[in-house]
Amino acid sequence: MQPNIQQGSKPVVEANKGFQVWWQLTRPHTLTAAFVPVVLGTALALKEGDIHFGLFIAMLIASLLIQAATNMFNEYYDFKRGLDNENSVGIGGTIVRDGIKPKRVMQIALGCYGIALLLGVYICMNSSWYLALVGLICMAVGYLYTGGPLPISYTPFGELFSGLFMGMFIILIAFFIQTGMVTTGSIMFSIPIFILVSAINLSNNIRDLDGDKDNGRKTVAVLLGKQKAVTLLAVMFIFSYLWVLGLIISGTAPIWTALVILSTVKPIKAIQVFKKGSVPIQMAPAMKATAQTNTIFGLLFAVGIFVGHYFS
């Protein structure tokens, strides 16, 4: 949900056109939160044996579809509750700016879930049917984040649920379908991505703090206030990097995973922009930088694991 922001009589956010209407509906800047955990979980599985690329591709597409559908549910329910308007920042704007009927958005979201279910069947057939329950829980959380009588997004648990189900669990599932097991090591490696996916959610809630407060949401950002929420975000960034350092020092991760340090420019930018910004459109770049932190950190982490496996 975003508050109304005006610049004179001109809308702050322009309408989308053509293919961009449907592309923005997915909120593409958030899709890496689904992409990175699959890549990392698969990279971790390399040391256990060969990779089944069919399962990798199926898991990757299913995760992207679930993330996109979650964003569409968000678009649909925030519109239905009257929380979005044509000047809202950070939304796809497909309904309020581009004139697409809410029913169509819901149909597309359910269609994404349907395809993800079919891919899930393929994954279960080639790994374990126990994953069906885990997958269904992840999909339920995606819907209940903004749907249902008490949306998760209205509570202080949004960061926890997003980090757990779209960060850690995706890594462990991607690892499990390749190896048939979940190890202590795979859990340890998933911790920083759990934190960074949670950070994406927190950054979104910091940007939307005033509007969320006005509409009765009790997010972590609302409960802490902006200054303390930004401090928490900074602590989460620092913790993620220190965790990797700890894995290297303990011998759990190869020295190559220190490549993640190359991504530090993004979290620094996020914190700086959040401290200076006072309205959502000013803080939007900080939210984007937080998502980019997860992307670059996660990919460099995966590269470090890959290089460490083959060259150490």
Side-chain angles (χ1 to χ4, degrees):
M1 190 288 305
Q2 323 291 337
N4 191 7
I5 309 166
Q6 297 286 342
Q7 273 183 353
S9 60
K10 183 179 179 181
V12 173
V13 185
E14 299 295 332
N16 300 305
K17 297 180 180 179
F19 174 75
Q20 189 182 28
V21 171
W22 308 106
W23 176 238
Q24 290 301 318
L25 176 60
T26 68
R27 303 188 189 183
H29 64 280
T30 69
L31 296 182
T32 58
F35 174 86
V36 167
V38 177
V39 173
L40 182 57
T42 305
L44 287 171
L46 281 170
K47 67 177 182 179
E48 305 296 336
D50 295 332
I51 297 301
H52 189 304
F53 283 97
L55 287 174
F56 167 70
I57 296 298
M59 181 70 189
L60 181 62
I61 295 174
S63 296
L64 290 170
L65 287 171
I66 292 172
Q67 178 64 54
T70 299
N71 293 335
M72 294 175 202
F73 292 138
N74 193 320
E75 194 96 358
Y76 176 87
Y77 282 107
D78 278 359
F79 171 77
K80 285 294 186 180
R81 295 185 175 102
L83 304 179
D84 286 340
N85 59 72
E86 65 178 3
N87 288 309
S88 295
V89 177
I91 64 170
T94 307
I95 298 173
V96 295
R97 284 194 293 270
D98 303 326
I100 304 300
K101 294 183 181 300
K103 181 179 179 181
R104 178 59 58 86
V105 172
M106 178 59 78
Q107 289 172 339
I108 296 173
L110 293 175
C112 289
Y113 261 24
I115 298 171
L117 276 172
L118 293 176
L119 290 169
V121 170
Y122 167 77
I123 292 170
C124 289
M125 289 175 63
N126 288 276
S127 56
S128 169
W129 286 101
Y130 287 113
L131 288 179
L133 177 60
V134 179
L136 288 172
I137 292 174
C138 289
M139 294 174 74
V141 169
Y143 174 80
L144 293 172
Y145 185 77
T146 48
L150 181 60
I152 297 169
S153 63
Y154 278 66
T155 73
F157 303 111
E159 286 79 7
L160 174 64
F161 276 81
S162 60
L164 191 62
F165 288 94
M166 293 307 297
M168 176 180 283
F169 279 17
I170 299 300
I171 291 173
L172 298 181
I173 293 171
F175 181 81
F176 179 85
I177 64 176
Q178 300 291 345
T179 65
M181 59 184 175
V182 172
T183 62
T184 301
S186 63
I187 295 173
M188 297 291 283
F189 276 92
S190 72
I191 296 295
I193 301 302
F194 163 68
I195 297 297
L196 290 178
V197 172
S198 297
I200 295 175
N201 192 287
L202 177 59
S203 69
N204 180 79
N205 290 335
I206 293 172
R207 183 196 62 195
D208 299 343
L209 190 154
D210 291 336
D212 285 347
K213 186 176 182 180
D214 291 342
N215 286 280
R217 288 185 172 180
K218 302 296 183 182
T219 65
V220 169
V222 169
L223 295 177
L224 292 179
K226 183 187 173 186
Q227 184 176 350
K228 290 182 179 178
V230 173
T231 299
L232 174 61
L233 182 65
V235 169
M236 292 169 73
F237 285 141
I238 294 169
F239 179 88
S240 297
Y241 289 95
L242 290 180
W243 187 269
V244 175
L245 177 61
L247 291 177
I248 294 172
I249 292 174
S250 68
T252 304
I255 187 64
W256 293 101
T257 55
L259 286 169
V260 299
I261 199 70
L262 297 177
S263 66
T264 52
V265 63
K266 292 300 180 180
I268 292 173
K269 176 183 178 181
I271 298 302
Q272 289 175 337
V273 173
F274 270 131
K275 285 184 175 180
K276 293 178 181 179
S278 58
V279 295
I281 198 165
Q282 294 173 344
M283 293 184 282
M287 196 274 178
K288 182 178 180 181
T290 303
Q292 290 173 333
T293 300
N294 176 65
T295 303
I296 301 171
F297 180 107
L299 292 178
L300 289 173
F301 200 24
V303 168
I305 293 168
F306 179 84
V307 174
H309 172 68
Y310 283 104
F311 298 98
S312 63

